[in-house]
Amino acid sequence: MMDDMSSTSDGEYAKYWTEWFLYLRGNEYFVEVDEEYIADRFNLTGLNQEVDHYVPALQLISDELDESRLDEHTREAVDRSARHLYGLIHARYVLTTRGMHKILDKYKGLGFGRCPRVLCNSQPLLPVGLSDIPGRHSVKLYCCHCEDVYNPKSTRHATIDGAYFGTSLPHMIFQMFPTLVPEKSIVRYEPKIFGFKLHATADLHRKQDKIRDQQAKRLVAAGIEPPAL
């Protein structure tokens, strides 16, 4: 997570730990995990083996920890563990129906930004991890139009662990809400010199079109309706 998360200036007036955490700059991608979800220990199965200071960290998230009994070093360690634990819980929660709806609200509000690819026409993005194992990759942004991933624009977001969102989130959402997926397009950028296509690029496009037509014919022969382009 980020260095500025240790500062209390952004959320010092928050009444609850989760409220404070979500208020911190750079944590805009996260959604609030329901208290009931955290209270159900079944949802947290196995996380005690992945997080140091698990019990006090969970108590801190649940606003049940008396921090006055901890020395400064232990308090900082518990705070780091609490942030990591919340991220791991968050990865599970966003795959629930309620969690996906919360992510979807941010998606509709452009909370994750738009695709930087010009031909995607500002398609909204969704967060995704390249690994479900913490510490491997930072969070990326997935575009369902070009089906590619991009780095967040802000360095504050670029340091968030991708495992806190997981590798399945955007695909689960589009499975549940297929109407959100835009129609596929075969529009491509065509490099030109003085209005003429480059020979190598034009040849590549012809080969791609030929392969696409052959695949469509095979699908028709097999009694399968080819996807509309």
Side-chain angles (χ1 to χ4, degrees):
M1 300 296 289
M2 300 167 296
D3 294 337
D4 64 354
M5 288 180 61
S6 60
S7 171
T8 59
S9 60
D10 283 339
E12 58 186 354
Y13 300 112
K15 184 177 180 180
Y16 303 107
W17 185 91
T18 300
E19 180 182 347
W20 168 83
F21 176 80
L22 296 175
Y23 192 82
L24 291 175
R25 293 182 64 204
N27 285 354
E28 294 85 0
Y29 286 0
F30 290 93
V31 299
E32 182 177 0
V33 179
D34 295 333
E35 292 181 10
E36 296 80 4
Y37 186 87
I38 297 176
D40 186 346
R41 296 301 184 258
F42 176 78
N43 297 324
L44 314 184
T45 301
L47 295 184
N48 61 320
Q49 300 176 8
E50 300 185 43
V51 180
D52 296 331
H53 308 288
Y54 174 79
V55 173
L58 182 57
Q59 291 175 337
L60 181 58
I61 292 174
S62 304
D63 302 299
E64 298 174 353
L65 179 66
D66 184 359
E67 296 185 68
S68 63
R69 296 186 177 184
L70 304 177
D71 59 60
E72 183 177 354
H73 177 73
T74 303
R75 185 161 50 245
E76 291 177 355
V78 170
D79 184 58
R80 287 193 297 270
S81 294
R83 296 169 187 172
H84 181 47
L85 177 58
Y86 189 87
L88 297 178
I89 295 173
H90 184 270
R92 297 182 178 187
Y93 176 74
V94 293
L95 295 182
T96 66
T97 300
R98 184 164 172 77
M100 282 192 282
H101 274 94
K102 288 187 177 183
I103 290 289
L104 193 56
D105 287 340
K106 282 184 177 287
Y107 169 80
K108 292 179 177 179
L110 304 178
F112 307 111
R114 297 179 181 273
C115 182
R117 181 175 179 268
V118 173
L119 297 180
C120 281
N121 300 313
S122 300
Q123 173 66 36
L125 301 170
L126 279 171
V128 67
L130 299 182
S131 173
D132 292 312
I133 301 175
R136 294 284 183 86
H137 301 280
S138 59
V139 68
K140 307 300 178 186
L141 296 170
Y142 172 78
C143 173
C144 63
H145 189 274
C146 62
E147 298 182 335
D148 210 340
V149 294
Y150 301 89
N151 288 316
K153 288 185 177 180
S154 172
T155 55
R156 300 196 309 269
H157 300 142
T159 55
I160 298 174
D161 198 316
Y164 295 164
F165 295 86
T167 58
S168 303
L169 175 59
H171 318 300
M172 288 281 288
I173 287 179
F174 292 128
Q175 284 286 324
M176 179 173 285
F177 305 100
T179 56
L180 294 178
V181 181
E183 292 185 9
K184 297 301 179 184
S185 171
I186 60 173
V187 177
R188 296 172 294 210
Y189 171 72
E190 297 179 345
K192 298 178 181 180
I193 295 179
F194 301 118
F196 296 97
K197 295 182 183 179
L198 300 182
H199 175 74
T201 302
D203 185 52
L204 173 62
H205 287 178
R206 283 194 294 272
K207 289 181 179 178
Q208 291 174 335
D209 291 338
K210 182 178 179 180
I211 293 173
R212 187 180 294 112
D213 291 340
Q214 290 175 342
Q215 179 64 18
K217 290 178 180 178
R218 284 195 291 267
L219 291 174
V220 171
I224 302 173
E225 181 70 21
L229 298 176

